[in-house]
């Protein structure tokens, strides 16, 4: 016997997110009535994660569905919604949810105008488009946005997928998404840059060297926040910071790389936050900024390095 409140769901976009969320909703005994898939990769993904679900045209999916899940790139979402509105595709009472992190329900105005119900359901997770993602959903949160009366529906759909809903206000969606992109996407870039530097100095398996360090750092940061901060910038080790910056200037000058720019930006941000927390004295903070700018006139020993963290344990081995 089917659970009450089961929906006929159509998936527009069998990308890594759409196919996985469709499979999760199907596991909750909703019926996936159709999926759109254009590329060979999308069709293969649909066959793997949504076996037996017909691949249909977008307009056919909307016509057949009680819940339409729009899992398309951010920049394509607005045009898709408006195009379907011009065709008169949206139906009164129909649920229409998108998976974009950037947008709330405002972008679904044409849906609302047709009498359908707009929802924003964004998983704060990176996806591979494979079945292992279904397990990751169990430890995942979704940023959900909806009208107050419809928020319980959005929350219930997320819970049925095994995840945790967190309400995000309409006006906060862009900042919410920037936070996730900054933390996740830029981490990949940082790891790639660090791996490149290590590989160039003869470390054959950078991942084995970085793995334990980065995992410990992430766990400490999540558990303790900025109290986990360590390293030469936080300690006020000006000479070390200056040496790092100079080495990376020489490296990128020859290779035309992007590592120096990233190092300087993150070191400045780290120095600012360390100064705000009292880990660096004003003269130390000024000296760190000068070192990052490549300015001369620093003592060999740098400024007075008796900041609060210098005698404390180093969570990452004094890196």
């Amino acid at each position: 016997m089917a659970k009450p409140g089961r929906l006929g769901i159509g998936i527009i976009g069998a990308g890594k997110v759409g196919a996985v969320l469709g499979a999760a909703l199907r596991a909750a005994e909703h019926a996936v009535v159709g999926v759109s898939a254009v590329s060979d990769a999308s069709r293969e993904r649909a066959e793997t994660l949504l076996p037996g679900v017909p691949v249909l045209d977008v307009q056919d999916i909307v016509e057949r569905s009680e819940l339409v899940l729009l899992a398309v790139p951010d920049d394509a979402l607005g045009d898709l919604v408006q195009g379907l509105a011009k065709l008169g595709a949206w139906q009164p009472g129909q649920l229409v949810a998108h998976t974009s992190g950037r947008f709330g329900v405002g972008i679904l105005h044409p849906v609302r105008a047709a009498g359908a119900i707009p929802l924003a359901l964004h998983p704060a997770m990176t996806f591979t488009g494979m079945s292992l993602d279904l397990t990751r959903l169990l430890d995942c949160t979704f940023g959900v946005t909806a009208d107050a009366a419809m928020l319980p529906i959005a929350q219930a759909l997320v819970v049925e997928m095994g995840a945790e809903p967190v309400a995000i206000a309409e006006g906060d969606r862009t900042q919410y998404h920037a936070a996730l992109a900054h933390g996740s996407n830029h981490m990949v870039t940082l790891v790639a840059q660090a791996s490149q530097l290590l590989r160039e100095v003869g470390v054959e398996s950078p991942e084995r060297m970085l793995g334990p360090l980065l995992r410990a750092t992430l766990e400490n940061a999540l558990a303790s926040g900025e109290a986990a901060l360590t390293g030469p910038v936080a300690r006020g080790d000006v000479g070390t910071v200056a040496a790092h910056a100079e080495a990376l200037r020489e490296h990128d000058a020859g290779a035309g790389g992007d590592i120096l720019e990233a190092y300087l930006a993150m070191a400045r941000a780290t120095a600012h936050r360390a100064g705000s927390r009292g880990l660096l004295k004003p003269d130390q903070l000024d000296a760190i900024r000068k070192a990052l700018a490549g300015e001369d006139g620093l003592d060999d020993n740098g400024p007075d390095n008796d900041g609060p963290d210098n005698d404390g344990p180093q969570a990452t081995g004094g890196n």
Side-chain angles (χ1 to χ4, degrees):
M1 181 176 178
K3 293 181 182 179
R6 298 305 86 185
L7 299 169
I9 298 176
I11 311 295
I12 297 180
K16 295 177 181 179
V17 176
V20 170
L21 298 191
L25 289 167
R26 196 183 198 189
E29 298 185 19
H30 294 287
V32 179
V33 299
V35 60
S36 69
V38 177
S39 69
D40 291 341
S42 293
R43 288 179 175 274
E44 182 177 350
R45 196 176 293 115
E47 290 174 3
T48 300
L49 291 172
L50 298 168
V53 174
V55 176
L56 303 173
D57 291 337
V58 169
Q59 195 168 353
D60 288 339
I61 291 173
V62 176
E63 182 179 344
R64 298 184 184 195
S65 302
E66 297 166 287
L67 166 62
V68 180
L69 187 66
L70 304 173
V72 299
D74 290 359
D75 288 348
L77 181 59
D79 289 343
L80 174 64
V81 172
Q82 291 177 11
L84 287 167
K86 290 178 180 178
L87 294 173
W90 303 119
Q91 305 167 44
Q94 188 175 48
L95 297 170
V96 181
H98 73 70
T99 62
S100 168
R102 172 184 168 190
F103 297 110
V105 294
I107 198 167
L108 298 179
H109 172 71
V111 167
R112 188 194 304 276
I117 299 168
L119 308 172
L121 310 176
H122 175 254
M125 177 57 64
T126 181
F127 288 86
T128 65
M130 296 185 289
S131 58
L132 64 87
D133 291 336
L134 295 171
T135 301
R136 288 179 173 174
L137 284 179
L138 303 180
D139 192 35
C140 173
T141 60
F142 277 60
V144 300
T145 303
D147 297 346
M150 300 302 163
L151 187 59
I153 297 175
Q155 293 169 324
L157 288 168
V158 171
V159 169
E160 286 188 320
M161 287 186 277
E164 177 185 354
V166 175
I168 305 295
E170 178 77 15
D172 293 336
R173 291 289 297 200
T174 301
Q175 182 171 324
Y176 152 80
H177 192 229
L180 298 180
H182 185 42
S184 176
N185 305 156
H186 297 169
M187 181 186 295
V188 175
T189 301
L190 287 170
V191 172
Q193 291 176 337
S195 297
Q196 177 187 338
L197 291 172
L198 289 173
R199 196 173 290 110
E200 289 173 355
V201 298
V203 178
E204 294 184 0
S205 301
E207 67 280 1
R208 293 182 61 187
M209 181 174 288
L210 288 171
L213 170 64
L214 297 182
R215 280 189 285 270
T217 301
L218 179 58
E219 290 173 2
N220 290 343
L222 292 175
S224 303
E226 289 181 307
L229 184 61
T230 184
V233 172
R235 292 194 298 269
D237 288 343
V238 179
T240 299
V241 173
H244 287 175
E246 181 59 27
L248 293 177
R249 282 190 183 92
E250 293 178 3
H251 175 276
D252 279 12
D258 55 4
I259 299 177
L260 172 65
E261 183 180 2
Y263 176 87
L264 293 178
M266 291 306 300
R268 289 185 181 112
T270 300
H272 175 79
R273 299 183 83 89
S276 297
R277 295 188 62 248
L279 295 178
L280 294 177
K281 297 178 179 179
D283 63 325
Q284 290 177 303
L285 180 58
D286 184 60
I288 289 289
R289 287 170 172 164
K290 288 180 179 179
L292 293 170
E295 296 182 18
D296 295 329
L298 298 173
D299 292 336
D300 290 342
N301 295 324
D304 180 14
N305 283 332
D306 60 353
D309 270 4
N310 286 341
D311 295 328
Q314 300 301 328
T316 57
N319 295 293

